[in-house]
Structure formats: structure tokens, C-alpha cells
Amino acid sequence: MTTYGSFPGTRPRRLRSNPVMRRMVAETRLHPADLILPAFVREGIGEPVPIAAMPGVVQHTRDSLKKAAAEAVAAGISGIMLFGVPEESKKDALGTPGTDPDGILQVALRDVRAEVGDDLLVMSDLCLDETTDHGHCGVLDEQGRVDNDATLERYAEMAQVQADAGAHVVGPSGMMDGQIGVVRDALDQIGREDVAILAYTAKYASAFYGPFREAVGSSLQGDRKTYQQDPANARESLRELALDLEEGADMVMVKPAGPYLDILARVADAVDVPVAAYQISGEYSMIEAAAEKGWIDRDRAIMEALTGIRRAGARNILTYWATEVAQKLRDQ
């Protein structure tokens, strides 16, 4: 006997009934243009060097970096964020390779621009941690503390040499007070109003950076808790956001991504500029390690993690899977 009007009358499962239905009603979509590839280039090596803590990621040579950039263009992603790893002997207290026109990052910027032109946004990490012998993101004072204002002077120089080397976008990531305003002024002073700033607005003092320290050959002893944000704080991010926008940021970023989706959502709701999120090394390595053990489905986990970041409000995502994911999206 048929009973009409029986409970439940509303059945959301109808919209999950098959793959085509689920695709049609999907609220969040990933696109290759959403993605940015972070890449490391190391001075003085003849072959790419695998990063043990980040399976599948390498420290590039200049030639392999150019190949990676060309692959990124072919995959349709929007940008490549470059991190330079100088020879250990060249590091010093001031991070001199960071402002040397012939430092590895500046050389790599010129290489990649020559390879891809304007087909890929060439972005540069603007920070001293890879180039200092103490591993901090700034200049130290006599007590061994990071000197905010002395560091800003170095960031201004870095911005100018990176722009001269071909960066479309600079990414100040040191979490120094006033860094966006100083970088904007430094760029404008040399007539580079065209270079955009991606502000690392909410960068937390996270335990998930561990594999990155290997990737850049960090010399850090201790931690960065006096300048990166406390993971316990949320409202502080909105204060940093307001300051970065007032100082001239063109885009803003939350880093890390996965553990801070609540922060990402709050930032995205608060602004009308593009919002990025950086899926950092520890997030990458956890999925790769669990997949290697056979504990999770690697490809599904990658897509789920990236979709969650996009759903939380990121317009763009920096991820070490950028090229791989973009290729899969284009093949769908």
C-alpha cells in the first residue's frame, strides 16, 4: 500500500544521487588558475636535490626550475613563488644574498622571467630567513632579538632588487610591523608601481613549518614566536589585516591554511581584495606520509584538503601539488 505525505518529505539525498548530479550542484570548485606553486632553487648544485621530509619536492637547479615553470604554464596555474637557498658560506648576519643582485633568488627570478615571460606570475619570497646565518627573518640587535626597524631597511632593499630581477609580485613574509608600507614605498621610489604585494597578513608561529626548514636549509635556533602570530589568537589577525590594507597590500594571505580555516574565513569575509592561503610543508608531508603508509587515499585527500581551503574563502592557494592538481583538473 502506498502512503503519501510520509516522513521525510524533503530528501536532500536526491542531489547526491550520481556523479553528474553532484558535479552540477557543487558549491565549491577548484580551477588551475586558483593555484600557485611554491618552488625552491638552491645555489651550487648540479642536479635537483630531493627534500627528505617532503616526498616529491626538490631543491631545484636553475635549469630544473625553468622546466618546472614551463610545466606550470602548461598546466594553467597562475603563479610560482620562489624561495632561494644560497650556499652556506654566503650567509651572514644581515642576509646579504637577499639583496645581492647576483644572489640565487634574484638570478632565479631572471631565469624564470626569461623562460615564461608574462605567461606565469613570477613571485618572490621577501624575507631574510633563508639568507641569514642565524636563520631569523630579520636583523638581530645586540641582545639577539629581531630588530624590527633595522629589518625593514633590509626589506626595502630586497623589494627593489627583486623587482629589478623581474618579480611580478613580492611576498613580504617576515611579520615585521610596518613591512607592507615600507616595501610599497621602496617599490614606488624606483618607479615600480606595477609590482604587486602579496602580504603574509596572518602568519602563525606553527609547528607545521618543520619540513620547510629542511627545504631552505634553515640555520634557525629557537623559534619565531616574538614576531609570528600566536596560534591561540584570532582577532589579532584582523588587526594585522587592517594594517596591511592601510599600508597598501594588493592581496593578503593566511599561513598555514588547513589548521587556520576559521581565520581564513574571517579574513575572506572582511575584505574585498584577493585572499590567498598557503598549504604549508607540514600539511603536505602529513598527507604524503599517511598515503605512503596506505592509511588514506592520497588523491582524494589532496583534493579534499584543497577544496576545504577554497571553501573557507581562499581565492588562491599556494600548494606543492599545484602543477599535479592543475593537470588533473584540466584532464577531467
Side-chain angles (χ1 to χ4, degrees):
M1 179 178 177
T2 302
T3 301
Y4 296 98
S6 61
F7 183 84
T10 301
R11 296 182 180 270
R13 286 182 57 187
R14 295 187 188 112
L15 301 184
R16 306 170 196 154
S17 59
N18 61 62
V20 176
M21 177 68 79
R22 292 192 295 273
R23 184 182 66 188
M24 184 183 76
V25 302
E27 299 174 23
T28 304
R29 301 182 193 277
L30 288 171
H31 187 277
D34 299 337
L35 305 176
I36 297 166
L37 176 68
F40 308 102
V41 57
R42 177 175 166 183
E43 189 173 25
I45 57 174
E47 297 290 336
V49 176
I51 299 167
M54 300 177 69
V57 181
V58 301
Q59 294 173 324
H60 284 287
T61 66
R62 290 173 60 185
D63 285 340
S64 70
L65 178 65
K66 290 188 287 187
K67 181 179 178 182
E71 290 173 349
V73 172
I77 72 173
S78 288
I80 186 168
M81 175 67 79
L82 301 185
F83 297 84
V85 184
E87 293 181 4
E88 196 68 26
S89 62
K90 295 183 179 179
K91 295 181 180 180
D92 61 22
L94 296 177
T96 299
T99 50
D100 181 355
D102 294 320
I104 183 59
L105 180 54
Q106 287 69 253
V107 169
L109 286 167
R110 291 194 291 270
D111 285 344
V112 174
R113 277 302 299 271
E115 182 73 20
V116 301
D118 293 330
D119 292 336
L120 185 71
L121 287 177
V122 180
M123 305 177 172
S124 55
D125 179 59
L126 201 163
C127 195
L128 289 170
D129 58 322
E130 297 104 37
T131 60
T132 54
D133 54 12
H134 47 73
H136 277 288
C137 297
V139 178
L140 304 185
D141 64 16
E142 294 178 355
Q143 286 75 46
R145 302 169 300 187
V146 175
D147 185 324
N148 191 94
D149 295 359
T151 299
L152 294 181
E153 294 180 15
R154 300 290 292 135
Y155 285 3
E157 295 178 58
M158 291 182 76
Q160 292 177 342
V161 296
Q162 290 177 3
D164 286 343
H168 293 103
V169 180
V170 296
S173 61
M175 291 300 288
M176 296 297 118
D177 295 339
Q179 64 182 12
I180 303 303
V182 165
V183 167
R184 183 72 269 161
D185 285 347
L187 292 169
D188 292 352
Q189 285 174 15
I190 61 169
R192 295 309 306 271
E193 295 88 354
D194 58 313
V195 176
I197 298 176
L198 171 57
Y200 284 59
T201 290
K203 183 178 181 181
Y204 282 86
S206 173
F208 292 96
Y209 295 131
F212 180 90
R213 305 279 162 79
E214 178 189 345
V216 297
S218 175
S219 306
L220 180 68
Q221 300 294 320
D223 58 50
R224 298 183 173 122
K225 293 180 179 179
T226 64
Y227 44 101
Q228 294 178 352
Q229 283 187 231
D230 186 340
N233 293 350
R235 287 191 298 270
E236 183 180 24
S237 296
L238 299 182
R239 185 182 186 196
E240 293 280 3
L241 175 64
L243 290 168
D244 283 354
L245 293 175
E246 182 181 348
E247 293 173 23
D250 299 290
M251 301 170 279
V252 297
M253 187 197 296
V254 174
K255 180 181 182 181
Y260 296 90
L261 294 181
D262 60 323
I263 307 300
L264 175 57
R266 291 179 70 167
V267 169
D269 286 344
V271 300
D272 57 5
V273 300
V275 176
Y278 196 146
Q279 185 187 52
I280 65 170
S281 59
E283 299 176 71
Y284 173 94
S285 296
M286 285 192 301
I287 290 177
E288 290 287 352
E292 184 180 352
K293 291 282 190 180
W295 293 340
I296 60 173
D297 182 317
R298 176 184 180 274
D299 290 354
R300 285 185 61 195
I302 291 170
M303 297 305 290
E304 184 174 340
L306 291 173
T307 299
I309 295 166
R310 184 75 176 83
R311 188 185 63 242
R315 172 69 270 172
N316 298 106
I317 305 171
L318 284 81
T319 175
Y320 299 99
W321 291 302
T323 300
E324 175 188 344
V325 168
Q327 289 168 343
K328 291 177 179 177
L329 291 171
R330 289 169 66 91
D331 292 340
Q332 287 179 355

